[in-house]
Amino acid sequence: DPRIDHFIETHFKTWYKNGGEPRMGRSLKALFNAAPLVDVQVTATIWCYATPEEAEEWGESYAQRLLTSPMGGRMVEYGFVTRAEVEAMAAGFREWAAHPDAFRAFTHAAALAPKA
């Protein structure tokens, strides 16, 4: 859905403007290996939304986040999108969630280590 593609692009721009790094997982192990740490343990978990109920839960949660949390508000505040575009993105998530082919999976990475 082009509205979700627009969300992803705008979400990343907003994340970067807030000083974050949405792709940090790619560098996580290297960052820990470069620090004065020992016994670095890197793990990952997969979140998967495959059933109609799971897709509905995920799509609705993102629609609500866009409309009621700082996520959508910051996009507008920074001038990346209009409020109408945020509402269209939320509608895109809801329509995606209702489609029988809706599927979402993503990886969460974590790294833990004690100080040397």
Side-chain angles (χ1 to χ4, degrees), residues 10-90:
T10 306
H11 185 52
F12 276 22
K13 284 172 53 176
T14 303
W15 206 331
Y16 286 124
K17 178 142 176 96
N18 286 337
E21 173 49 75
R23 295 180 174 105
M24 180 59 73
R26 298 174 179 186
S27 304
L28 203 53
K29 189 169 182 183
L31 290 169
F32 270 68
N33 283 338
L37 304 169
V38 295
D39 193 27
V40 175
Q41 309 240 342
V42 179
T43 61
T45 57
I46 303 294
W47 287 14
C48 181
Y49 301 86
T51 68
E53 296 79 19
E54 291 166 342
E56 177 69 28
E57 175 189 343
W58 191 82
E60 183 60 31
S61 72
Y62 259 76
Q64 284 299 314
R65 285 179 69 190
L66 274 166
L67 297 173
T68 63
S69 79
M71 178 191 291
R74 291 281 192 280
M75 294 174 175
V76 174
E77 177 185 330
Y78 296 155
F80 298 148
V81 295
T82 65
R83 179 65 185 177
E85 288 174 293
V86 169
E87 291 170 3
M89 291 174 194

Side-chain angles (χ1 to χ4, degrees), residues 1-8 88-97:
D1 186 300
R3 295 168 296 182
I4 295 174
D5 291 340
H6 187 45
F7 161 77
I8 292 167
M89 291 174 194
F93 277 109
R94 288 182 171 128
E95 288 177 33
W96 166 86

